[in-house]
Amino acid sequence: MRALITGANRGIGRALADRYRAAGHEVIGTARDGSADAVLDVTDPGQQRALAESLQGRSLDLLVCNAGVYLDKGQPITGYPVQMWADTFAVNVTGVFLTVQALLPNLRASKGKIAIISSQMASHTRAPGGSYIYRASKAAALNLGRNLAADLRANGIAVGIYHPGWVRTDMGGQTAEIAEEEAADGLIARFAALSLDTTGCFETWDGRAHPY
């Protein structure tokens, strides 16, 4: 299997890449700072084109759209500057779409799968207040994934959207519930189970259907 994982230089992305490589799969990890296999700022159409050109003629079995930011963590209601909204949506939403768009020929070649890392914070059932930008961006990523699933079914491409758990990463913090490795193991099982029968699903890392 050949997999491409965005945001693979740390956290869940790195744990996924490590697990897949240990199992003997080919992994192309990307990071905007060049600390992975390929340089990719998911918000940059030029870098997206360059990545696609470097992979021209190569099939892709799995695309994991993992790159994300949580810039408004701890913001007071009087905060949330306009640029923070723009920067977050550029990565968490537009960046997902640009990556799928750029690598669609590679995915079509093998009827591959797309996994979008969203969050339980995308769900209308999880609305305790705060983190307005992050919550809105992850809800948009969930909606994007659902619509991609509808459009790409005819190409044989399944799309799943996932809550990775509350994970002990730089983003999740050290008081989070599970380790990166546990999240990665659960997500890998979810990706393996994804099919056209379940395309458009919104699931947790441990296999539970999550309400939208």
Side-chain angles (χ1 to χ4, degrees):
M1 183 186 74
R2 180 180 295 128
L4 188 143
I5 303 170
T6 66
N9 57 321
R10 62 181 182 176
I12 296 167
R14 182 172 59 192
L16 285 169
D18 289 346
R19 287 291 197 272
Y20 277 127
R21 287 187 177 115
H25 300 296
E26 180 184 349
V27 177
I28 304 160
T30 76
R32 61 184 172 185
D33 64 0
S35 58
D37 306 301
V39 176
L40 179 65
D41 178 342
V42 296
T43 71
D44 186 332
Q47 290 189 21
Q48 292 280 11
R49 285 192 297 272
L51 176 64
E53 288 171 3
S54 74
L55 295 174
Q56 192 170 7
R58 300 172 69 187
S59 62
L60 194 60
D61 301 297
L62 175 65
L63 169 62
V64 183
C65 295
N66 168 73
V69 294
Y70 186 178
L71 303 179
D72 61 322
K73 190 173 185 179
Q75 280 279 302
I77 197 168
T78 52
Y80 300 95
V82 169
Q83 193 60 48
M84 188 178 287
W85 284 90
D87 291 344
T88 300
F89 271 73
V91 176
N92 293 359
V93 187
T94 309
V96 172
F97 182 77
L98 291 177
T99 306
V100 171
Q101 189 179 54
L103 299 176
L104 196 51
N106 310 84
L107 290 159
R108 282 176 171 152
S110 60
K111 296 183 178 180
K113 302 178 184 182
I114 300 170
I116 297 173
I117 304 302
S118 180
S119 169
Q120 65 182 359
M121 293 167 74
S123 173
H124 73 278
T125 65
R126 299 281 299 192
S131 298
Y132 303 122
I133 302 175
Y134 184 76
R135 292 179 191 279
S137 72
K138 287 301 186 180
L142 169 58
N143 184 274
L144 173 61
R146 294 273 292 166
N147 282 281
L148 284 170
D151 284 338
L152 297 179
R153 177 188 286 274
N155 298 129
I157 297 171
V159 182
I161 308 99
Y162 301 95
H163 165 54
W166 185 20
V167 187
R168 291 189 290 275
T169 62
D170 291 342
M171 183 181 293
Q174 292 308 302
T175 61
E177 295 174 342
I178 61 173
E180 298 168 357
E181 294 77 14
E182 188 175 2
D185 287 342
L187 288 170
I188 286 170
R190 304 286 75 72
F191 304 163
L194 177 63
S195 71
L196 290 178
D197 291 332
T198 60
T199 191
C201 63
F202 183 30
E203 295 179 344
T204 64
W205 65 279
D206 55 354
R208 291 172 289 122
H210 202 295
Y212 300 109

